[in-house]
Amino acid sequence: RAGDRPALLITLSFEDSLDSHPQWGQGLMEMQLVLQLIIDQWMGFVSRDQELQQLSSQKNALSRLNRMQGRFVGMASHEFKTPLTSITAYADALLGQFDEENMPLATEFLGVIRNEAGRLLRMVNRILDFSRMEYGARLLGATAHDLRPLILETILALRPTVAVKNLTCVLDDTQLVPRALVDADLIRQVMVNLIGNAVKFTP
């Protein structure tokens, strides 16, 4: 090989002059044909090797682009989901506070806001699910976090929904809550799902 590219070197040497051995002529012609076949095969191999290297480079570039696209989809989905949950919760809270006589269209408008926010949240969830299936392992960014602030943020985001149902949500952290290696966005979404379902299905 010459560097990163394959190379072929063929050398013929004769101790005597070819002119003194005329009987070698036929043999040399046959050898020339054989060598030409070898060279043709070698050139074909070199060409295929170059094509394979080019295809491998293109494959690696497409793989990098695909990973970047997956990370973007996953991160964008995470960023959208939490504020959409809060919008839906606050719309629910406002629905129970308006006077129909003074603001007759408030309930209708808030209902539209809530329904559209819920629809968008379901779309984000579907995108996020697909992203997790294909790229989930690459999207995890585990770092050390205190869980208490994450739980309190979740409770605050869901407070309107909790208030509408006349429930009380209290964090009992009398015992030490240890730090944990987690992806903060994913753990926050887990808590949104857990606490949100608890509120939703509690009479």
Side-chain angles (χ1 to χ4, degrees):
R1 300 181 69 88
D4 292 332
R5 301 187 61 183
L8 176 65
L9 176 64
I10 299 176
T11 302
L12 297 177
S13 62
F14 300 91
E15 295 182 358
D16 297 331
S17 171
L18 294 180
D19 294 336
S20 60
H21 297 278
Q23 70 275 16
W24 287 5
Q26 183 62 32
L28 288 176
M29 291 181 61
E30 294 176 355
M31 182 181 294
Q32 182 180 5
L33 292 175
V34 171
L35 290 177
Q36 187 62 51
L37 289 174
I38 294 174
I39 292 172
D40 291 342
Q41 291 293 325
W42 182 259
M43 294 302 296
F45 167 76
V46 171
S47 177
R48 286 190 294 272
D49 183 73
Q50 292 174 346
E51 291 176 358
L52 287 174
Q53 290 182 8
Q54 184 178 6
L55 290 174
S56 177
S57 177
Q58 293 175 351
K59 174 181 175 294
N60 292 334
L62 289 174
S63 296
R64 287 194 298 270
L65 181 61
N66 200 27
R67 288 194 297 270
M68 291 174 61
Q69 180 181 358
R71 292 190 184 100
F72 171 77
V73 170
M75 289 186 291
S77 299
H78 288 308
E79 294 298 324
F80 288 147
K81 190 167 185 178
T82 298
L84 284 171
T85 300
S86 297
I87 291 172
T88 302
Y90 276 95
D92 284 337
L94 290 174
L95 278 171
Q97 297 181 11
F98 279 105
D99 185 352
E100 290 289 343
E101 294 182 359
N102 297 327
M103 301 186 68
L105 296 179
T107 300
E108 178 184 351
F109 289 171
L110 284 172
V112 172
I113 292 173
R114 187 195 183 287
N115 291 337
E116 291 302 306
R119 185 168 67 88
L120 186 55
L121 183 59
R122 290 190 296 274
M123 292 171 60
V124 170
N125 283 334
R126 285 196 293 269
I127 295 174
L128 186 56
D129 289 339
F130 289 133
S131 176
R132 282 172 179 165
M133 285 188 291
E134 189 169 1
Y135 306 101
R138 302 186 181 96
L139 293 174
L140 295 177
T143 54
H145 283 277
D146 290 324
L147 296 182
R148 187 176 188 277
L150 298 179
I151 298 172
L152 291 176
E153 290 176 11
T154 304
I155 294 174
L156 180 62
L158 295 175
R159 186 169 60 183
T161 302
V162 176
V164 166
K165 298 196 67 176
N166 296 319
L167 301 175
T168 302
C169 187
V170 178
L171 173 60
D172 182 4
D173 59 347
T174 54
Q175 296 183 352
L176 178 64
V177 179
R179 288 167 63 83
L181 288 174
V182 298
D183 185 309
D185 288 334
L186 291 177
I187 289 298
R188 187 181 289 108
Q189 192 55 53
V190 168
M191 290 186 290
V192 166
N193 292 338
L194 289 174
I195 300 175
N197 285 339
V199 173
K200 179 178 179 180
F201 294 104
T202 298

